[in-house]
Amino acid sequence: MSTQQDLPPNGNGLFRTKTVEQSIRDTEEPEHALKKSLSALDLTVFGVGVIIGTGIFVLTGKVAKETAGPATAIAFVVAGVVCALAALCYAEFASTVPVAGSAYTFSYASLGELVAWIIGWDLVLEFALGTAVVAVGWSGYVRSLLDNAGWHLPDALSGPDVAEGFGFDILAFVLILILTVILVLGMKLSARVTTVVVAVKIAVVLIVIIAGLFFIDTANYSPFIPEAQPQPSGSGFDAPLVQLIFGYAPTNFGVMGIFTAASVVFFAFIGFDVVATAAEETKLPQRDMPRGIMASLFICTALYVAVSIVVTGMQHYTELSVSAPLADAFKAVGHPFYAGVISFGAAVGLTTVCMILLLGQTRVFFAMSRDGLLPRFFSKTHPRFRTPYRPTILLGVLIAVVAGLTSINELATLVNIGTLFAFVVVALGVIVLRRTRPDLHRAFRTPWVPLIPILSVAASVWLMLNLPAETWLRFAVWMVIGVIIYFTYGRKHSRVSRRTRA
């Protein structure tokens, strides 16, 4: 078995690794230990809670009308397979290294400290920005419901998108503060709240599916795969990176249009990797982590496929609404009541998405702090609730302010590139750790290594290349800032570095 003495003798090595054994020992320090309270069901609920959000209510219509037609259902299956490849890699790591931090912790054990810092810094951006974006979206649904009830918020409190002058989104701000309090009070309370909300959300989705079945016109499925059409070419930084590098222009509709659609609907699955951040708080992580990750992904894929089949059967894909396809489809068949039900389900659903993204963000920050790459002040847990209350409060307040003040829809693609980058690193980490530590006990083993991880890397990189060049530029700027912080602070204060020097 490896010991901490196996680390490179050079304390300044950028690729020094932190052994799995040391990672697990660090979780046993009383003042830095998290409470274990989650089961496989809790993890599955978390996964479903964060995956099912606006994607199921919005992306379905946009993709069907503009890219794939009724074959959107196949696009969801393709995207689900891509996510499953990454999920298999996450499941092996989460069961082998049951420590908070997800891809950050996995990278530290396999690829080294600098790579771990880069992926941790990437996840901080992904989860923080994702939380703010979702909170703003939730606020929009709630304002719509309030307007329907005859209650109107002043424009100055409805966010910068609504107000002509200064605007502050009070609803998004208050939501994040409330969720911050819930996360401080304990994971079990968070799991109970999530269970109730997810039950409501799934009930609404099932109502929509079952009710919609009675209004399907099979003629709307013809043609199931519409004839291929060239996509409008982008220009400059607005164009996909793959177009700038290879001159490849993706197509709408046709067989290739299904894969183009998959690169869009893939982002409706973002979030299942957050489940891995709760590994340290799971009672039996070796058994329950793989179950929670794979079960949540399977459930959401099935629901996405069912919704896309129903909505393209209720209304011809050329007539679907882009902004609210499900609600407008029911209006088109003379049942506007369901539009209100769908808006309610979307608002309720986004609550759990926001909370679980915030949960993932605080756990990554906590893990980096415990390793000394960020100030250790943030790695002490609450004496009663055993939660990382300091980073939770700090990040909760900061993200609440950002969500209240900023219209950040343009930056939402940064969440996508951050997630895909994490997928690539985790898949490579599985290959490396299999070679460097074959002796480790793996309760779950990714099948067909290295084929599955290589396929996961290839699929993730391809989707990244389909993102605008402008997104890559912003991502690169954030990474440069992170590298500067690492070399000025993290590298000097790293606990692994200090152990090596000692």
Side-chain angles (χ1 to χ4, degrees):
M1 294 289 284
S2 220
T3 68
Q4 203 60 31
Q5 293 177 346
D6 292 324
L7 292 168
N10 179 9
N12 295 321
L14 298 179
F15 299 99
R16 53 180 169 244
T17 57
K18 181 180 181 182
T19 64
V20 174
E21 292 82 1
Q22 185 60 56
S23 294
I24 295 174
R25 279 198 296 272
D26 286 348
T27 69
E28 297 167 356
E29 299 174 357
E31 61 180 4
H32 303 288
L34 298 172
K35 184 178 180 180
K36 296 182 181 295
S37 59
L38 301 179
S39 64
L41 177 60
D42 293 327
L43 296 173
T44 302
V45 169
F46 273 140
V48 174
V50 74
I51 297 172
I52 296 184
T54 51
I56 200 169
F57 300 105
V58 177
L59 277 182
T60 305
K62 177 179 176 61
V63 170
K65 185 172 185 176
E66 300 177 357
T67 313
T72 298
I74 302 177
F76 272 115
V77 173
V78 172
V81 170
V82 174
C83 287
L85 295 173
L88 290 169
C89 299
Y90 270 89
E92 173 167 327
F93 259 129
S95 61
T96 307
V97 194
V99 178
S102 184
Y104 158 75
T105 301
F106 307 156
S107 303
Y108 215 155
S110 56
L111 301 175
E113 184 173 281
L114 178 60
V115 177
W117 166 266
I118 290 174
I119 197 66
W121 188 246
D122 162 57
L123 291 174
V124 166
L125 173 71
E126 174 195 340
F127 293 148
L129 190 58
T131 304
V133 170
V134 171
V136 171
W138 174 88
S139 174
Y141 276 108
V142 172
R143 285 199 308 272
S144 176
L145 290 172
L146 292 176
D147 289 343
N148 291 340
W151 300 337
H152 305 284
L153 282 176
D155 287 349
L157 296 178
S158 299
D161 282 336
V162 178
E164 294 182 2
F166 173 80
F168 186 82
D169 196 332
I170 189 66
L171 293 177
F173 177 80
V174 170
L175 171 68
I176 294 179
L177 291 185
I178 292 174
L179 297 179
T180 298
V181 172
I182 293 174
L183 289 175
V184 168
L185 293 179
M187 278 294 286
K188 198 60 185 177
L189 174 62
S190 305
R192 288 170 180 166
V193 171
T194 304
T195 300
V196 173
V197 175
V198 169
V200 173
K201 177 162 58 175
I202 291 181
V204 169
V205 173
L206 291 176
I207 288 172
V208 169
I209 293 171
I210 295 171
L213 289 174
F214 293 96
F215 305 109
I216 287 178
D217 181 356
T218 54
N220 290 329
Y221 292 133
S222 180
F224 191 77
I225 302 179
E227 185 177 350
Q229 301 173 5
Q231 274 191 7
S233 298
S235 60
F237 282 116
D238 292 334
L241 192 63
V242 67
Q243 182 177 330
L244 295 179
I245 296 176
F246 303 109
Y248 167 77
T251 63
N252 290 334
F253 306 112
V255 174
M256 293 307 298
I258 294 175
F259 293 97
T260 303
S263 69
V264 177
V265 300
F266 167 83
F267 304 126
F269 290 89
I270 284 177
F272 78 85
D273 55 319
V274 179
V275 176
T277 66
E280 193 174 326
E281 293 156 280
T282 304
K283 295 176 183 176
L284 298 171
Q286 288 81 4
R287 183 195 69 183
D288 292 343
M289 264 290 148
R291 293 181 180 180
I293 292 173
M294 300 306 296
S296 59
L297 187 59
F298 175 79
I299 291 170
C300 293
T301 302
L303 290 176
Y304 280 165
V305 170
V307 166
S308 61
I309 290 175
V310 166
V311 73
T312 54
M314 291 176 63
Q315 196 173 17
H316 197 267
Y317 74 92
T318 57
E319 300 172 356
L320 284 172
S321 160
V322 173
S323 58
L326 287 176
D328 291 345
F330 278 103
K331 289 180 182 178
V333 295
H335 289 272
F337 165 77
Y338 289 102
V341 174
I342 291 166
S343 295
F344 173 75
V348 170
L350 291 180
T351 305
T352 56
V353 177
C354 200
M355 183 172 74
I356 299 167
L357 286 173
L358 182 59
L359 162 74
Q361 219 259 10
T362 58
R363 269 42 179 187
V364 173
F365 199 94
F366 167 79
M368 297 174 74
S369 172
R370 188 166 57 187
D371 289 334
L373 300 181
L374 290 172
R376 290 269 289 172
F377 170 83
F378 295 108
S379 65
K380 289 191 176 181
T381 54
H382 194 280
R384 177 182 175 187
F385 304 121
R386 310 308 303 171
T387 56
Y389 68 106
R390 289 174 176 174
T392 301
I393 294 172
L394 171 68
L395 296 169
V397 172
L398 288 177
I399 296 171
V401 172
V402 170
L405 290 174
T406 314
S407 175
I408 49 181
N409 292 329
E410 294 180 2
L411 300 180
T413 49
L414 279 172
V415 180
N416 304 333
I417 194 170
T419 301
L420 289 164
F421 181 57
F423 286 4
V424 170
V425 172
V426 169
L428 293 175
V430 167
I431 298 173
V432 171
L433 201 62
R434 283 283 187 97
R435 293 181 65 88
T436 58
R437 292 298 309 276
D439 58 301
L440 282 176
H441 172 68
R442 293 168 168 83
F444 177 87
R445 298 176 66 89
T446 303
W448 303 328
V449 173
L451 177 62
I452 294 295
I454 290 174
L455 290 175
S456 179
V457 170
S460 299
V461 169
W462 174 251
L463 294 181
M464 291 172 73
L465 290 174
N466 278 276
L467 292 172
E470 186 177 17
T471 300
W472 281 82
L473 181 61
R474 290 170 174 165
F475 183 66
V477 170
W478 178 256
M479 288 293 105
V480 169
I481 295 172
V483 170
I484 292 172
I485 294 176
Y486 171 73
F487 280 103
T488 56
Y489 181 89
R491 187 183 183 191
K492 300 175 183 177
H493 296 83
S494 162
R495 295 183 73 199
V496 170
S497 173
R498 292 180 176 180
R499 290 190 186 110
T500 304
R501 289 195 298 268

